[in-house]
């Protein structure tokens, strides 16, 4: 297969940047993972706070690169027309890469702001807004000029629009910490449990239509239902972050009910992908891409849905809030929902852009299982750490640092599975950067 | 159900939950001064918050349970350790850092910064958190 529209190729640099930054993210993950066991590692050159800041900021940046690349790849096929401006797409690619790299290097020299995940200095935040606006403009013009408007393209567009709008709350820094935290969640929660889910569901629908050959009418009905469930549960579900930060107690009731059903959109994505794949009209030759696609639905259900649900009720969250339980959930949720969907898009799109047959299928399938099982085991190791931490610190009232000394074994397990994850990643990147040379026979 | 009727239900549901959410946001905002003693946010407290952000404390510590889980909770640190102890930690951190296993790096903290952080922690400790954390150890 080859790509049908010339301008789809502009997605290529986006995927390359995403993969490089992904590798760097995992490297910094290993650094902070080692520091949990040997705190003097790289100290004080890279103290834990800087390493963790880089680990998570790289995650967000590479995922957004992946989302944008995915959008540029699928839009021409969806709307049946070329990208409005390839030059603009390349311009904001470089702007984003330079801005992102400046921020990450700046962190190493203590040039940062100080709110969790939003550590980007103000000027970098402004640059991010400019980049996203350029992207949204390009996307909007492409959709308007295209020959048709599909549900997938419109949902994707709304997802990115929401991403831009809610990021604006990153500029609001009141003196009252409770107010600060309240709207900080409008960026963080309404991104990852709101508009990002739209982007994920749109990419999932696109992939399922392509790899199963099933009519898009069916897929888009599912997509709308998933979007509906996301907003119905996720917006008021923000309340599960408002239990203990100085906000009113009524959030415990509302947050509990709505976040308990936040698992529904993820369950729907699992049902959607299994029903599509089981009714498939053809067997797609790119088996690795099929695996990543179904894997995204299943792993996001486990990480975001099940692990999230486990400690979302206030009666449980009272004890687990701010422990390793959150880290456990965070790792599998971000990997399962967002990393895997971008890897699925890359596995599907990049061979088409290169005009080669998807090669190294066995290697890539090995990478999928190695990375995914490793991440599940990382999450389970941290769940173990979390359970012991809750018992010692929250029930027996043993001081924090003493508690930590009893759970080193779980951090060692986490680091071990971090190492096996890295093996899977290396295999994936080998397949990505050094593909086989078999040419595609015919465009389709 | 047709695709259009599903879409219309989605739009309807989203509008309803958004309105409810915004109303609850208004109620939360209205309760802010009572629950957080916002009139007690002095210039020192505000300065302390800025120092807290300047050194990205949140990327090791937690504050009301939010943060990085690598270092102790600080929302109730004054009640747990007492003012004198916390002040010694900050003064030591300004010279050589703090800790024996996991270490807090040396931060360039002026007297104004230390005073601001102390006032900030004191103010944080008075926020009505619905009785979280479960015990003084945070």
């Amino acid at each position: 297969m080859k790509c049908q529209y010339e301008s789809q190729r502009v997605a290529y640099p986006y995927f390359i940047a995403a993969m490089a930054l992904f590798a760097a993210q995992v490297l910094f993950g290993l650094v902070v993972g080692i520091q949990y066991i040997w705190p003097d590692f790289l100290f004080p050159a890279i103290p834990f706070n800087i390493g963790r800041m880089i680990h998570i900021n790289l995650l967000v940046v590479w995922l957004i690169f992946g989302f944008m690349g995915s959008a540029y790849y699928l839009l021409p096929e969806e709307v049946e027309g070329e990208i409005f401006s390839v030059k603009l797409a390349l311009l904001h690619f470089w702007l984003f890469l330079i801005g992102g790299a400046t921020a990450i290097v700046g962190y190493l020299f203590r040039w940062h702001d100080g709110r969790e995940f939003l550590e980007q200095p103000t000027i970098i935040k402004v640059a991010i807004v400019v980049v996203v606006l350029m992207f949204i403009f390009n996307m909007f013009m492409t959709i308007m000029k295209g020959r048709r408007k599909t549900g997938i393209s419109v949902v994707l567009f709304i997802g990115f629009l929401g991403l831009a709008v809610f990021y604006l709350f990153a500029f609001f820094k009141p003196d009252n910490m409770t107010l600060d935290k309240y709207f900080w969640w409008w960026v963080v929660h309404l991104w990852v449990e709101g508009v990002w889910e739209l982007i994920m569901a749109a990419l999932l629908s696109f992939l399922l239509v392509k790899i199963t050959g099933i009519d898009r009418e069916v897929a888009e009905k599912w997509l709308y239902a998933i979007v509906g469930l996301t907003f119905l549960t996720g917006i008021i579900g923000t309340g599960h972050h408002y239990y203990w930060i100085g906000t009113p107690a009524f959030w415990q009731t509302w947050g509990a009910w709505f976040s308990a059903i936040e698992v529904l959109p993820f369950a729907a994505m699992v049902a959607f992908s299994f029903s599509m794949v089981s009714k498939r009209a053809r067997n797609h030759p790119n088996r690795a891409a099929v695996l990543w696609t179904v894997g995204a639905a299943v792993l996001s259900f486990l990480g975001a849905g099940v692990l999230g649900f486990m400690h979302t009720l206030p009666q449980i969250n009272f004890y687990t809030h701010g422990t390793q339980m959150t880290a456990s959930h965070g790792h599998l949720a971000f990997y399962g929902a967002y990393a895997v969907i971008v890897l699925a898009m890359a596995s599907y799109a990049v061979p088409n852009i290169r005009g080669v047959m998807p090669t190294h299928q066995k290697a890539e399938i090995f990478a999928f299982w190695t990375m995914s099982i490793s991440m599940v085991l990382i999450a389970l190791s941290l769940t173990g750490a979390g359970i012991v931490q809750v018992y010692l610190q929250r029930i027996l009232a043993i001081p924090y640092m003493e508690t930590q000394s009893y759970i080193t074994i779980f951090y060692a397990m986490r680091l071990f599975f971090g190492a096996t994850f890295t093996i899977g990643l290396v295999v994936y990147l080998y397949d990505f950067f050094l593909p086989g040379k078999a040419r595609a026979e015919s465009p389709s | 159900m047709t695709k259009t009727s599903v879409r219309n239900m989605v739009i309807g549901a989203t509008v309803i939950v958004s309105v409810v959410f915004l109303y609850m946001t208004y109620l939360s905002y209205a309760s802010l001064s009572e629950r957080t003693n916002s009139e007690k946010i002095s210039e020192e407290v505000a300065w302390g918050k800025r120092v807290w952000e300047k050194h990205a404390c949140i990327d090791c510590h937690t504050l009301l349970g939010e943060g990085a889980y690598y270092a102790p909770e600080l929302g109730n640190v004054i009640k747990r350790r007492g003012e004198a102890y916390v002040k010694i930690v900050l003064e030591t951190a300004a010279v050589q850092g703090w800790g024996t296993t996991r270490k807090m790096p040396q931060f360039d903290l002026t007297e104004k910064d230390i005073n601001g952080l102390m006032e900030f922690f004191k103010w944080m400790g008075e926020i009505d958190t619905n009785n979280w954390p479960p015990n003084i150890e945070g």
Side-chain angles (χ1 to χ4, degrees), chain A residues 89-147:
Chain A
L90 287 172
L91 175 69
H92 77 69
F93 167 80
W94 286 108
L95 242 172
F96 193 35
L97 191 64
I98 293 166
T102 308
I104 301 298
V105 174
Y107 293 165
L108 289 171
F109 295 94
R110 313 297 185 267
W111 186 52
H112 56 68
D113 215 343
R115 297 159 81 221
E116 200 185 1
F117 315 143
L118 303 179
E119 294 93 347
Q120 310 84 36
T122 307
I123 179 133
I124 300 283
K125 286 197 179 89
V126 172
I128 292 171
V129 171
V130 171
V131 165
V132 175
L133 288 180
M134 288 161 92
F135 171 74
I136 286 177
F137 170 74
N138 212 4
M139 204 175 166
F140 179 75
M141 294 304 289
T142 304
I143 293 174
M144 293 316 280
K145 290 189 71 168
R147 267 192 292 161

Side-chain angles (χ1 to χ4, degrees), chain A residues 158-170:
Chain A
I158 296 172
F160 275 107
L161 201 61
L163 184 153
V165 168
F166 289 115
Y167 186 69
L168 296 179
F169 289 95

Side-chain angles (χ1 to χ4, degrees), chain A residues 108-338:
Chain A
L108 289 171
F109 295 94
R110 313 297 185 267
W111 186 52
H112 56 68
D113 215 343
R115 297 159 81 221
E116 200 185 1
F117 315 143
L118 303 179
E119 294 93 347
Q120 310 84 36
T122 307
I123 179 133
I124 300 283
K125 286 197 179 89
V126 172
I128 292 171
V129 171
V130 171
V131 165
V132 175
L133 288 180
M134 288 161 92
F135 171 74
I136 286 177
F137 170 74
N138 212 4
M139 204 175 166
F140 179 75
M141 294 304 289
T142 304
I143 293 174
M144 293 316 280
K145 290 189 71 168
R147 267 192 292 161
R148 60 173 188 178
K149 288 175 191 52
T150 64
I152 291 174
S153 55
V154 172
V155 168
L156 192 64
F157 180 74
I158 296 172
F160 275 107
L161 201 61
L163 184 153
V165 168
F166 289 115
Y167 186 69
L168 296 179
F169 289 95
F171 291 92
F172 179 55
K173 291 200 288 183
D175 288 337
N176 186 320
M177 189 51 106
T178 295
L179 188 63
D180 180 320
K181 284 172 177 291
Y182 192 95
F183 287 103
W184 178 84
W185 282 114
W186 284 34
V187 188
V188 177
H189 174 94
L190 292 178
W191 265 22
V192 300
E193 292 170 69
V195 291
W196 280 30
E197 268 180 64
L198 267 58
I199 296 174
M200 180 195 169
L203 300 183
L204 185 71
S205 305
F206 172 79
L207 283 165
L208 286 170
V209 168
K210 292 292 162 180
I211 63 183
T212 64
I214 288 177
D215 189 60
R216 71 165 52 245
E217 282 298 303
V218 181
E220 291 195 335
K221 210 195 281 185
W222 275 100
L223 175 61
Y224 288 150
I226 292 165
V227 172
L229 288 170
T230 299
F231 282 149
L232 180 68
T233 63
I235 293 177
I236 298 178
T238 315
H240 61 215
H241 302 292
Y242 297 157
Y243 296 161
W244 326 114
I245 62 167
T247 33
F250 65 71
W251 283 111
Q252 295 185 13
T253 316
W254 288 82
W257 282 103
F258 279 83
S259 56
I261 51 173
E262 265 192 66
V263 70
L264 290 179
F266 292 102
M269 282 193 253
V270 174
F272 173 34
S273 45
F274 276 101
S275 111
M276 292 283 281
V277 170
S278 67
K279 289 186 213 142
R280 65 186 176 275
R282 59 178 140 108
N283 279 320
H284 198 273
N286 192 341
R287 286 180 300 130
V290 179
L291 186 60
W292 282 110
T293 304
V294 178
V298 174
L299 290 163
S300 63
F301 173 72
L302 287 179
V306 176
L307 282 182
F309 174 76
M310 263 171 52
H311 68 158
T312 199
L313 298 180
Q315 293 82 355
I316 297 170
N317 191 264
F318 183 65
Y319 294 100
T320 58
H321 178 60
T323 66
Q324 293 295 329
M325 293 300 290
T326 317
S328 163
H329 159 56
H331 276 83
L332 194 58
F334 266 91
Y335 174 76
Y338 300 120

Side-chain angles (χ1 to χ4, degrees), chain B residues 19-36:
Chain B
V19 169
V20 173
F21 183 66
L22 288 175
Y23 179 63
M24 290 196 291
T25 296
Y26 163 74
L27 291 179
S28 304
Y29 186 78
S31 74
L32 206 60
S33 80
E34 189 195 328
R35 298 184 63 93
T36 68

